[in-house]
Amino acid sequence: MLRFAPSPTGDIHIGNLRAAIFNYIIAKQTNQKFLIRIEDTDLARNIEGKDKEILSLLNLFGLLWDNLIYQSHNFDKHRQLAQYLIEKDLAFYCYCSKEFLESKREEAKAQKKPFRYDMQWAELEKHTNKNPVIRIKGASSTISFEDSIKGHLSFEPHEIDSFVIIKEDGIPTYNFACAVDDMLYDVSFVVRGEDHTSNTPRQILIHRALGYEKVLGYAHLPIILGESGSKMSKRDSASSVAWLLEQGFLPQAIINYLISMGNHTPQEVFKLQESFAWFDIKNIARSPVKFDIKRLRFLNREHLKMLNEQEFALLVDSKDSSVGALAKLHLQEASTLNEIREKLDKIFAPKCIETAENGESGENYVEECKILYAILCEMIESKDLNLQDYESLKNALMQRSNLKGKKFFKPLRILLTGQTHGLELSEIYPYLRFFLKDIVRLDRNAIADSNADSTQAIKD
C-alpha cells in the first residue's frame, strides 16, 4: 500500500502534490493500492470542507485512490495501542504542565544546550495536573533507515527522547497516529517532504515498541525553492496548486513539470501514465530544486498543443471546434489558458475604437475604423461572398473604402481582434469568418462617452 496523507488545515501546495504524484506512480508500478488518508487529528485547525477540496483536486489530476480513510476514525485504536505500550512499560503518563516544560526549555536555552525531556519529571506535578499526556520511552539504541533519495540515515538515542503520543485531551499526536495507521493499513513505502525526515526515526521507534517488524521504505523529497532561491513559502503564489490552475496551467502540464523537477527523464514532454514505464524515485536529486515558472509555461504550451480543436474549445468555454482552432493558433504568442481566453475575449467583445491605444506615435484610427465598420456591417448583412476568404475580403474592403497601408490594416485588425498587434489576419481569418456578426461590433457606451466629452470640450 502507498499512501498520500494530506491535512485539511490548508490548501495543497506543489510540494504536497509532488509527493502525491510519486506515491501514486510507485503504487501503479508495483501493483499496489493507493490510499488517501485525511490526517484530521488537529481538530482546532481543521477547515470545514477542505477535505472535499483536496479530494476534488486529486481527482482533477487523475490521482484516483483505491481507499479513503479519515485518521480521526481510528482514535479508539490509537488510544488502545497507547494503553498497550503503558502495560508493556514502553510508555508512561507524564503530568508535566506546559509552563514547567517551557521553563526547562528556557533553562536549556540559557545554558546553550539542546532541550531533552527527563523521565524524572514525569510525576512531579501529578497532584496538580489531572490531564496527563502519554509519552513513549525514548530510543535506547541507534535507529537507522535507508532513504531512497538521501541514502543511509542514522539517529542516535540522545536525538530521540521520550515524546508525547497521546495529548492531554486524548487525541493522538501526528507521529503516533501516522505510525499506527501506516501499520494498520500495511503501508510499504512512504514518499514525503524532507521536513518529515526527523519524524521517521520516531515512527520507527513506535513500530518497534508495538512489535511491528515490517521494514518500510522511505523517500524524503528535497524542498522546493522559490524563484528568488529561498525556501518556497505559502506567500509565493506559485506554491499554490489552486493558483496555478486559476492561471490556466493544465493539470497534465503541472504533473509533467513536478515529475521532471530535479529528475532526469527520458523525454521532455510526457503524460502521467507514460512515466510509469521509467520513473525511479532514486533518480530524484538530493539537493533543493528551484521552481521555474518559465519552464512550466513551456510545458503547458506543449500540452495545449497536444489537444484537438474540440478539446481546446471546451477549455475556453465553447462547444465550437472553430473556436478551439482559433485558440490553438494563439499558442504562437500565449502559454496559458488565461492568456488565450484574454485574446479570445478581445476578439468577441465589442470594440472600443475611440481609445488612444488604437494608435501609435500619437496616431489613431477612429475614422478609418468607422468607415470599415460600416462597410463590414453592410457586407455581413448582405452575406457578401467576399467574406468567405481573407484575400477577397481585403480586396473588397480596400476597393470600397479607398484605404491602404496602416490606415487600412490597423483599423481592420482592431475591428476583428480588438488589438493593434497579433497573429497574421490571413492566418486567423479562416476561423473568424464563422463569427463575424458577433465579432464586428462597437462598444456603443465608449462611443457615447467620447462624443459627450467632445461636446463638453467645445462648450468649455
Side-chain angles (χ1 to χ4, degrees), residues 114-274:
F115 173 77
R116 293 286 181 263
Y117 177 83
D118 188 333
M119 287 180 60
Q120 295 179 11
W121 302 339
E123 297 194 358
L124 290 180
E125 297 181 276
K126 185 174 183 178
H127 299 295
T128 57
N129 184 5
K130 302 303 180 183
N131 296 303
V133 300
I134 299 177
R135 289 178 180 268
I136 190 171
K137 290 185 177 179
S140 58
S141 60
T142 302
I143 293 181
S144 302
F145 64 92
E146 294 297 325
D147 188 297
S148 294
I149 296 173
K150 296 178 175 296
H152 185 78
L153 297 177
S154 292
F155 295 81
E156 298 305 318
H158 70 271
E159 297 179 86
I160 311 170
D161 57 5
S162 301
F163 57 91
V164 178
I165 57 174
I166 301 289
K167 293 180 282 189
E168 61 273 6
D169 58 2
I171 303 298
T173 59
Y174 165 77
N175 275 315
F176 192 61
C178 181
V180 169
D181 287 348
D182 282 347
M183 180 180 73
L184 292 177
Y185 294 94
D186 196 26
V187 170
S188 59
F189 196 87
V190 177
V191 182
R192 56 190 176 189
E194 71 174 9
D195 52 324
H196 286 288
T197 305
S198 61
N199 289 327
T200 301
R202 288 172 168 76
Q203 292 168 18
I204 291 174
L205 176 67
I206 292 166
H207 283 168
R208 289 179 180 177
L210 291 170
Y212 190 62
E213 297 181 353
K214 182 172 181 174
V215 178
L216 277 64
Y218 293 95
H220 292 91
L221 300 171
I223 62 171
I224 298 175
L225 303 177
E227 293 189 283
S228 64
S230 58
K231 181 179 179 181
M232 207 173 214
S233 70
K234 292 182 179 178
R235 290 187 295 273
D236 293 300
S237 296
S239 70
S240 166
V241 176
W243 182 86
L244 292 174
L245 293 170
E246 288 166 5
Q247 293 303 300
F249 289 100
L250 298 177
Q252 55 265 42
I254 297 172
I255 285 177
N256 189 159
Y257 179 66
L258 293 178
I259 293 175
S260 59
M261 203 181 219
N263 192 8
H264 294 292
T265 59
Q267 57 202 79
E268 193 172 32
V269 181
F270 53 84
K271 295 181 179 179
L272 174 62
Q273 288 75 13
E274 293 175 295

Side-chain angles (χ1 to χ4, degrees), residues 25 29 32 35 46 60 93 96 135 156 169 178 187 237-238 243 250 256 259 271 273 313 362 365 377 394 447 451 456:
I25 292 173
Q29 289 177 325
Q32 297 185 67
L35 168 74
N46 289 339
L60 179 65
Y93 287 107
C96 293
R135 289 178 180 268
E156 298 305 318
D169 58 2
C178 181
V187 170
S237 296
W243 182 86
L250 298 177
N256 189 159
I259 293 175
K271 295 181 179 179
Q273 288 75 13
Y365 307 98
C377 286
K394 181 183 71 173
I447 294 174
N451 291 337
Q456 186 62 44

Side-chain angles (χ1 to χ4, degrees), residues 439-451:
I439 291 172
V440 182
R441 295 183 296 144
L442 297 186
D443 186 340
R444 298 296 179 183
N445 291 329
I447 294 174
D449 292 342
S450 175
N451 291 337

